[in-house]
């Protein structure tokens, strides 16, 4: 199977030329075979008729006036006149030189000198030459009139033009058919791009099964359309999630603000309502802050300042800073942190550890345990954070890194969060050339594995 568009184009051109030449040859042969004899016969009749006129004029005006007679009758380009004397020496009366078109043998010359008339058709139907016995001033001559090379060349030129026209027509037909086959997918892609411009992403180009460059382009186009369709879905989901995440706290703030207007509220209820308003305001603030942080990380202008620092000490400081979150839950810590130097953006990785450790604390029940360890490999550093929390279903573990994705689809406030923390974690780790994955523990809980390049300098 031909897998290259380049080869297809070349073969189409070769086929057009080859078929055109073969068709020209066959049609020319057919024309010559079908009409050649009739054409030669017509030329012989014309030559016989013209020779009778020329013979009469030559006998009346003399052999020396034969050239002028040809010019006067308009036969100069059609015929050549040759004269043989009794010694069979040729004298060209008209023409640049002796014509090689029809070779006149010595036997034929003697035949005409003996007073006989020679016609080429007696030897070959295609010989356009006539020999006449001629006497002048008591001398006997053999006068031959034959079709000139110019007239025969004109016939050959016409036949060649006919062959070229046939070749051109056949070649054009093949090129048109081939071009239609080659251009049709491109026209389809043009229409598909217009669909994309209108926001219609449900596109599937049917010729994607082709093995050539157009097939590859169609497959890439289908893939691009599917990705754009997914992006559009993600955009709509993003807008929906942002609207939900913002609308929920705003509704609470609005509702409790109205409730505070009632004078009948007790001081205890008033304080509780104000506390809820404050919490919801902080929730909106965290959401907008995370959205701005994620947008900044995804831009090409976000500052990235790697430097060498102690990774183990950074993890310890994050645990200490999180004490208000875990002290009331009596969480037990198991930290295996060997001294480790890493070259990275300290502020960004601090955000990663804060998000991951906060999640572990949030979903680990009272009296649970969280383990943090560092493992140094060749060319990489692996940080593991393992908790004994509620865990995440295996089918959900890849999706938790998507924006606003929550394992709890109800968006309840029992476990507050915007669903952006892990998306920020994955983006920061990716910017450092690392990876982050989740693993389910045998019993409960989850293990987060962050792998970062280990650059020694």
């Amino acid at each position: 199977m031909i897998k290259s568009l380049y080869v297809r184009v070349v073969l189409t051109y070769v086929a057009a030329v080859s078929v055109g030449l073969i068709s020209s040859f066959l049609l020319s042969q057919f024309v010559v075979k079908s009409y050649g004899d009739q054409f030669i016969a017509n030329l012989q009749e014309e030559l016989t008729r013209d020779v009778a006129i020329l013979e009469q004029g030559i006998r009346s005006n003399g052999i020396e006036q034969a050239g002028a007679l040809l010019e006067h009758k308009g036969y100069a380009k059609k015929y050549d006149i040759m004269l043989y004397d009794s010694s069979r020496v040729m004298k060209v009366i008209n023409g640049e030189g002796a014509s090689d078109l029809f070779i006149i043998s010595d036997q034929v010359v003697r035949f005409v000198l003996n007073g006989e008339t020679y016609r080429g058709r007696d030897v070959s139907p295609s010989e356009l030459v006539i020999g006449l016995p001629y006497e002048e001033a008591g001398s006997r001559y053999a006068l031959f009139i034959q079709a000139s090379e110019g007239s025969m060349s004109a016939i050959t030129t016409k036949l060649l033009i006919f062959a070229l026209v046939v070749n051109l027509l056949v070649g054009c037909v093949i090129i048109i058919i081939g071009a239609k086959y080659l251009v049709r997918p491109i026209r389809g892609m043009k229409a598909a791009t217009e669909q994309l411009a209108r926001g219609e992403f449900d596109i599937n180009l049917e010729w994607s099964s082709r093995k050539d460059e157009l097939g590859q382009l169609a497959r890439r186009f289908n893939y691009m359309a599917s990705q754009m369709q997914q992006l559009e879905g993600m955009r709509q989901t993003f807008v929906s999630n942002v609207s939900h995440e913002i609308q929920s706290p705003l509704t609470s703030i609005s509702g409790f603000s109205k409730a505070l207007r009632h004078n009948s509220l007790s001081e205890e209820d008033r304080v509780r309502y104000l506390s809820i308003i404050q919490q919801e305001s902080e929730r909106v603030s965290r959401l907008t802050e995370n959205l701005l942080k994620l947008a900044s990380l995804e831009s090409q202008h976000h500052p990235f300042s790697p430097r060498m620092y102690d990774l183990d000490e950074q993890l310890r400081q994050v645990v200490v800073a999180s004490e208000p979150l875990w002290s009331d839950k009596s969480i037990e810590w198991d930290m295996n942190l060997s001294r480790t130097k890493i070259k990275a953006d300290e502020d960004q990785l601090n955000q990663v550890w804060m998000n991951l450790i906060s999640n572990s604390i949030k979903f680990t029940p009272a009296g649970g345990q969280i383990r943090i360890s560092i493992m140094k490999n060749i060319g990489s550093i692996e940080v593991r954070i393992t908790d004994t929390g509620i865990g995440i279903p295996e089918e959900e573990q890849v999706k938790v890194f998507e924006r606003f994705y929550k394992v709890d689809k109800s968006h309840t406030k029992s476990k507050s969060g915007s669903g952006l923390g892990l998306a920020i974690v994955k983006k920061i780790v990716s910017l450092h050339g690392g990876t982050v994955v989740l693993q389910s523990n045998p019993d409960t809980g989850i293990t987060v594995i962050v792998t970062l390049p280990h650059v020694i300098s």
Side-chain angles (χ1 to χ4, degrees):
M1 181 178 293
I2 301 172
K3 297 184 179 180
S4 172
L5 180 62
Y6 172 79
V7 175
R8 287 175 184 261
V9 172
V10 171
L11 290 181
T12 301
Y13 175 78
V14 172
V17 173
S18 301
V19 174
L21 290 175
I22 293 172
S23 301
S24 301
F25 175 76
L26 294 177
L27 284 174
S28 298
Q29 290 293 316
F30 173 77
V31 170
V32 170
K33 185 176 181 181
S34 301
Y35 304 101
D37 293 342
Q38 181 64 37
F39 185 69
I40 294 296
N42 292 338
L43 288 178
Q44 287 177 335
E45 291 180 5
E46 184 179 357
L47 175 61
T48 302
R49 184 174 62 252
D50 293 340
V51 164
I53 298 173
L54 289 172
E55 180 184 10
Q56 182 180 359
I58 290 172
R59 293 189 186 279
S60 300
N61 300 295
I63 193 67
E64 296 298 333
Q65 299 300 318
L69 183 62
L70 284 175
E71 292 288 347
H72 176 69
K73 297 293 185 181
Y75 297 153
K77 294 182 179 180
K78 292 178 61 177
Y79 304 115
D80 290 335
I81 297 179
M82 292 172 291
L83 185 68
Y84 290 83
D85 58 17
S86 58
S87 299
R88 298 187 297 280
V89 176
M90 181 182 71
K91 176 184 178 184
V92 179
I93 297 179
N94 180 64
E96 296 293 332
S99 174
D100 294 330
L101 188 60
F102 301 111
I103 304 299
I104 300 175
S105 66
D106 189 64
Q107 181 181 358
V108 172
V109 173
R110 286 199 305 269
F111 178 76
V112 176
L113 287 173
N114 291 331
E116 302 294 335
T117 299
Y118 170 79
R119 298 181 183 276
R121 71 180 68 182
D122 296 336
V123 178
S124 172
S126 62
E127 284 194 7
L128 302 178
V129 59
I130 294 179
L132 301 173
Y134 180 76
E135 289 186 11
E136 186 174 301
S139 298
R140 183 175 294 180
Y141 299 94
L143 179 66
F144 289 92
I145 302 175
Q146 69 174 22
S148 67
E149 289 187 3
S151 62
M152 297 307 296
S153 296
I155 297 173
T156 304
T157 301
K158 292 179 181 179
L159 186 61
L160 180 60
I161 292 175
F162 171 77
L164 291 175
V165 170
V166 172
N167 187 12
L168 178 63
L169 292 177
V170 174
C172 287
V173 170
I174 295 176
I175 290 294
I176 290 172
I177 295 174
K180 183 178 181 180
Y181 175 75
L182 295 174
V183 170
R184 184 166 57 90
I186 299 177
R187 289 179 176 173
M189 290 181 189
K190 175 179 175 293
T193 57
E194 293 173 353
Q195 285 185 258
L196 287 179
R198 294 193 299 267
E200 301 172 9
F201 304 114
D202 188 15
I203 298 172
N204 184 27
L205 300 178
E206 58 183 9
W207 53 87
S208 58
S209 59
R210 289 173 53 152
K211 304 299 182 182
D212 58 7
E213 290 86 348
L214 287 177
Q216 295 173 8
L217 181 59
R219 287 191 290 275
R220 297 295 184 274
F221 197 96
N222 288 341
Y223 177 75
M224 179 187 69
S226 66
Q227 291 299 306
M228 292 182 69
Q229 191 171 24
Q230 290 182 17
L231 287 174
E232 177 64 17
M234 291 173 61
R235 185 188 68 81
Q236 294 178 1
T237 302
F238 177 80
V239 172
S240 174
N241 287 330
V242 170
S243 300
H244 183 278
E245 292 295 336
I246 292 179
Q247 183 64 33
S248 179
L250 290 180
T251 300
S252 297
I253 292 172
S254 176
F256 287 109
S257 297
K258 292 178 181 178
L260 287 173
R261 296 178 181 178
H262 297 286
N263 296 326
S264 59
L265 282 177
S266 64
E267 187 65 23
E268 181 181 355
D269 288 340
R270 189 180 302 277
V271 171
R272 184 166 63 88
Y273 290 173
L274 288 172
S275 177
I276 292 174
I277 290 174
Q278 180 182 358
Q279 291 175 4
E280 294 300 306
S281 299
E282 292 174 352
R283 181 180 169 190
V284 174
S285 177
R286 286 194 304 271
L287 175 63
T288 55
E289 180 182 357
N290 286 335
L291 283 172
L292 291 172
K293 186 184 295 293
L294 191 57
S296 177
L297 288 170
E298 291 180 342
S299 71
Q300 297 181 352
H301 305 290
H302 187 78
F304 184 74
S305 306
R307 68 177 188 85
M308 295 296 297
Y309 70 93
D310 294 323
L311 177 62
D312 56 302
E313 184 61 28
Q314 184 183 42
L315 288 168
R316 291 189 186 95
Q317 291 177 4
V318 172
V319 173
V320 172
S322 304
E323 183 177 0
L325 300 176
W326 55 264
S327 58
D328 292 340
K329 302 177 73 172
S330 301
I331 292 177
E332 179 184 348
W333 291 90
D334 180 8
M335 293 189 289
N336 181 17
L337 305 177
S338 59
R339 186 178 177 88
T340 304
K341 289 281 188 179
I342 189 171
K343 187 174 184 179
D345 189 307
E346 186 175 4
D347 291 337
Q348 290 187 13
L349 281 191
N350 191 73
Q351 179 72 39
V352 170
W353 312 132
M354 285 293 296
N355 286 349
L356 294 178
I357 290 174
S358 297
N359 280 347
S360 294
I361 295 173
K362 185 187 303 181
F363 295 104
T364 298
Q369 184 185 56
I370 299 176
R371 295 189 299 274
I372 304 177
S373 63
I374 297 178
M375 182 180 299
K376 288 183 280 188
N377 302 314
I378 299 176
S380 66
I381 296 175
E382 193 174 274
V383 178
R384 290 175 175 256
I385 302 175
T386 303
D387 61 55
T388 56
I390 60 176
I392 300 175
E394 187 173 353
E395 63 274 9
E396 307 279 351
Q397 291 178 12
V398 177
K399 299 179 181 179
V400 294
F401 294 104
E402 298 176 4
R403 300 176 185 180
F404 296 107
Y405 188 85
K406 296 181 181 181
V407 178
D408 179 14
K409 300 295 194 302
S410 62
H411 294 269
T412 61
K413 292 183 287 185
S414 59
K415 302 292 183 183
S416 62
S418 63
L420 292 174
L422 289 180
I424 293 174
V425 166
K426 184 175 182 180
K427 187 62 183 179
I428 293 175
V429 173
S430 297
L431 288 174
H432 283 78
T435 59
V436 55
V437 295
L438 301 183
Q439 285 184 356
S440 297
N441 295 330
D443 300 323
T444 57
I446 204 80
T447 296
V448 183
I449 305 173
V450 178
T451 305
L452 296 167
H454 189 196
V455 179
I456 301 177
S457 60

